[in-house]
Amino acid sequence: MSVFSLPAVQAILPQLMSIAWGIGKALIVLFGVVICGAYMSLVERRVLGLWQDRYGPNRVGPFGLFQLVADMLKIFFKEDWIPPFADKFLFVLAPLVAMGTMILAFMVIPVTPDLGVADLNIGVLFFMAMAGLAVYAVLLGGYASGNKYALLGVARSAAQSLSYEVFLGLSMMGVVARAGSFDLRTIVLSQQGLWNIIPQFFGFIAFLIAGIAVVHRHPFDQPEAEQELADGYHIEYGGMKWGMFFVGEYVGIILISAMIVTLFFGGWLGPFSVVPPFVWFALKTGAFMLFFILIRASVPRPRYDQVMILSWQYLLPLTLVNLIITGAVLLWVGGAA
Amino acid sequence: MRALVQYCVNLKGLCVGAVTQVRTIGMVFLHAARKRQTLLYPEEKPDLAPRYRGRPVLTRDPNGVERCVGCGLCAVVCPVDCIALQQEERESGQWFAKFFRLNMSRCVFCGLCEEACPTSAIQLTPDFELGEYRREDLVLEKEDLLISGTGKDHSYSFRTHIGRASAEFGAQWAEGDDAPQSPVDTRSLLP
């Protein structure tokens, strides 16, 4: 006699099934994101090569597809070394924060109508909280390394955070005002008929710039700055701890691309009903991930005082004006509510 | 008021800068359609110039006799001292190198030996694939270095030009057009 034929178990079976499906969805998203993030290392090198008139890694397997396996083997077997002058606890904690916050923030992304880990009614705020916590990975990692270059990277990272965090939230408020909700699924559904990219164009510009700065990708990679800081805050890291920073950065790219798609490009929505929603979401997100690499291939890095001037003097007023106009239009169209 | 004007000027500069950045991004994107600069080396071989300074060889004159007379000028001029040789004289009075040893792990391919060589014997060739699995194999002996051809200098046969020696030995190697010419006047600077 099976356990599932007991009357008590029969009664709670639907709940058990929904819990199992919830865990299954979470695992699908988790592994999907981490595997995509790891594969971004190969895609980035190949695509950068494409835009720089060379090939990139194309030796291991067809089109270099197994390069990732070779890299992973190498990185797993490297010595997991902690410098004797480092603050050991924080040194180990920093890569966990870097990768953990980025993966956690993916929790609120609605991938398709059926797929998505959690529909928080404060999804946008949760994303901002995780983006704010991700700064600690850089601060702690750089501070715990006990290295001059790392400390310079931390100083720059702090200056940069003071710049982009200001308008990161404000740039999303126009979208939130239009949808009337912080829930990302509601935001996607509010874009049926017209994607937010048209009414919220300036919000999109500001969020794109802030998003690049959140994951400190080029051209806002002052904390790392290979050329002058020799990789900045993670200069003392090696092996799998460095790999976690690396994967965290690529997961961050996927996260920001998914957020841009969700907030401004209608998420899984698309014109043809025969195309499944997941394909639309993946296509749009992939396009923005490639755009991130394209920006890396073409735009030089500004000084961090220039980033601060840009943020405080131009993008902060831009987002505020955008929010005021959005509110005025909403009141005008919706009448005195 | 002045600050506001300055702000507007800066804003204009920012907008112009943003447009140029977008143009840059577009231009970089178009590079995707360009021809690749990379040479896929093991499959495609590079096109090397005839005077490329690669693997050194010892050449023979047009009659198939080895050119090296073991004078040692190459060993003297070599900046990394990678050449070792010893001169010996045959019963006929001909000079040759008893051994000629070239340590390829030291050679810097400067080509000074080639410039110094009075008989055009040692020459650098367009071959750069010099890898070996054992360090000792990088030390090349005379039989490794000697090739059967004339290298870059196809017609030069110094034995037909050297004064008394050419009169004594030239006849037995040279035939036809390569017959011994008049001995060189060693007191003249003219060519």
Side-chain angles (χ1 to χ4, degrees):
Chain A
M1 191 168 146
S2 166
V3 182
F4 291 105
S5 57
L6 290 171
V9 175
Q10 286 275 317
I12 59 165
L13 202 57
Q15 283 93 331
L16 281 177
M17 290 296 283
S18 76
I19 290 172
W21 174 227
I23 295 172
K25 281 197 291 191
L27 288 178
I28 289 171
V29 171
L30 172 67
F31 284 108
V33 165
V34 172
I35 289 170
C36 287
Y39 246 97
M40 271 293 281
S41 66
L42 172 68
V43 171
E44 168 154 50
R45 288 159 72 191
R46 285 301 305 241
V47 174
L48 268 183
L50 181 74
W51 283 317
Q52 292 170 351
D53 297 351
R54 45 190 187 87
Y55 291 101
N58 62 349
R59 293 282 155 183
V60 194
F63 307 107
L65 280 176
F66 300 145
Q67 181 72 39
L68 180 69
V69 181
D71 289 347
M72 289 300 261
L73 277 176
K74 178 231 178 192
I75 213 166
F76 269 119
F77 284 102
K78 274 186 95 162
E79 185 184 359
D80 194 26
W81 188 70
I82 298 175
F85 46 82
D87 185 328
K88 292 198 174 45
F89 176 69
L90 292 181
F91 192 81
V92 176
L93 183 69
L96 300 176
V97 175
M99 196 169 159
T101 50
M102 287 300 168
I103 291 175
L104 271 180
F106 219 89
M107 192 167 89
V108 292
I109 303 283
V111 180
T112 67
D114 308 316
L115 188 60
V117 181
D119 291 332
L120 297 182
N121 55 5
I122 51 158
V124 172
L125 293 180
F126 185 81
F127 164 75
M128 282 169 59
M130 285 301 137
L133 278 178
V135 178
Y136 279 101
V138 179
L139 296 186
L140 296 179
Y143 162 74
S145 295
N147 184 300
K148 287 174 221 156
Y149 288 117
L151 204 61
L152 282 171
V154 169
R156 290 181 179 198
S157 178
Q160 191 170 289
S161 306
L162 288 177
S163 314
Y164 72 78
E165 291 281 356
V166 177
F167 62 91
L168 172 67
L170 282 171
S171 63
M172 290 187 281
M173 285 310 117
V175 174
V176 172
R178 275 179 56 81
S181 168
F182 280 97
D183 183 2
L184 286 168
R185 199 170 286 276
T186 316
I187 288 174
V188 171
L189 290 173
S190 77
Q191 298 178 61
Q192 276 164 336
L194 182 63
W195 292 352
N196 272 334
I197 174 68
I198 294 167
Q200 288 296 320
F201 181 72
F202 294 107
F204 164 69
I205 295 290
F207 184 77
L208 181 68
I209 292 172
I212 297 170
V214 165
V215 287
H216 36 83
R217 286 281 302 179
H218 304 73
F220 299 113
D221 66 333
Q222 283 97 353
E224 311 179 33
E226 295 97 342
Q227 290 85 359
E228 65 241 38
L229 289 188
D231 269 359
Y233 68 93
H234 55 53
I235 186 169
E236 293 288 351
Y237 282 88
M240 206 51 222
K241 285 203 284 294
W242 178 83
M244 287 177 76
F245 272 122
F246 201 61
V247 174
E249 182 177 323
Y250 285 126
V251 170
I253 294 175
I254 302 176
L255 171 72
I256 297 297
S257 304
M259 278 300 285
I260 291 172
V261 168
T262 307
L263 292 172
F264 297 99
F265 284 84
W268 67 77
L269 301 174
F272 307 110
S273 57
V274 282
V275 183
F278 178 76
V279 173
W280 279 119
F281 182 83
L283 275 180
K284 293 179 200 170
T285 309
F288 272 100
M289 281 149 66
L290 291 182
F291 183 67
F292 267 64
I293 302 173
L294 176 59
I295 285 181
R296 176 185 177 171
S298 45
V299 180
R301 180 188 307 125
R303 293 193 314 267
Y304 69 89
D305 63 310
Q306 290 171 325
V307 177
M308 291 190 94
I309 288 173
L310 174 76
S311 307
W312 283 93
Q313 292 191 359
Y314 299 100
L315 288 172
L316 178 63
L318 179 74
T319 50
L320 285 173
V321 169
N322 180 49
L323 182 57
I324 290 169
I325 292 174
T326 307
V329 169
L330 283 176
L331 283 178
W332 182 270
V333 173
Chain B
M1 188 61 204
R2 182 176 289 173
L4 187 66
V5 169
Q6 186 59 48
Y7 184 83
C8 290
V9 169
N10 290 347
L11 189 63
K12 186 183 167 229
L14 187 74
C15 293
V16 172
V19 171
T20 62
Q21 294 290 314
V22 170
R23 180 169 169 270
T24 306
I25 292 171
M27 285 165 73
V28 171
F29 182 77
L30 291 178
H31 269 261
R34 293 251 185 122
K35 185 178 172 293
R36 306 292 94 179
Q37 297 287 330
T38 313
L39 189 78
L40 293 171
Y41 159 60
E43 293 90 28
E44 300 171 29
K45 300 294 181 191
D47 192 13
L48 298 177
R51 288 165 66 173
Y52 185 92
R53 296 204 305 264
R55 179 191 293 276
V57 293
L58 288 176
T59 59
R60 295 171 188 272
D61 69 11
N63 302 313
V65 180
E66 60 184 64
R67 278 169 169 159
C68 181
V69 293
C71 67
L73 284 179
C74 50
V76 170
V77 79
C78 180
V80 290
D81 279 350
C82 72
I83 300 176
L85 77 164
Q86 188 182 348
Q87 194 179 52
E88 186 118 307
E89 190 172 328
R90 291 205 173 93
E91 286 171 19
S92 58
Q94 243 184 313
W95 285 353
F96 70 104
K98 186 183 175 191
F99 69 86
F100 194 102
R101 192 170 295 138
L102 202 153
N103 189 345
M104 288 301 295
S105 64
R106 303 192 66 157
C107 181
V108 293
F109 307 101
C110 62
L112 287 181
C113 49
E114 184 177 14
E115 280 184 44
C117 185
T119 64
S120 195
I122 189 163
Q123 293 181 12
L124 271 61
T125 56
D127 174 15
F128 61 91
E129 291 163 320
L130 305 164
E132 295 285 355
Y133 284 100
R134 280 157 25 93
R135 217 162 239 272
E136 301 85 73
D137 292 346
L138 286 167
V139 180
L140 302 182
E141 295 294 338
K142 190 173 166 185
E143 59 266 27
D144 306 318
L145 292 163
L146 203 60
I147 64 169
S148 54
T150 55
K152 285 175 272 192
D153 208 346
H154 299 299
S155 58
Y156 180 57
S157 172
F158 75 95
R159 289 182 208 280
T160 62
H161 292 279
I162 46 163
R164 189 174 65 83
S166 69
E168 286 182 20
F169 304 112
Q172 64 191 86
W173 297 303
E175 294 165 7
D177 292 341
D178 289 334
Q181 292 150 22
S182 58
V184 175
D185 180 4
T186 51
R187 293 175 190 277
S188 168
L189 284 173
L190 294 172

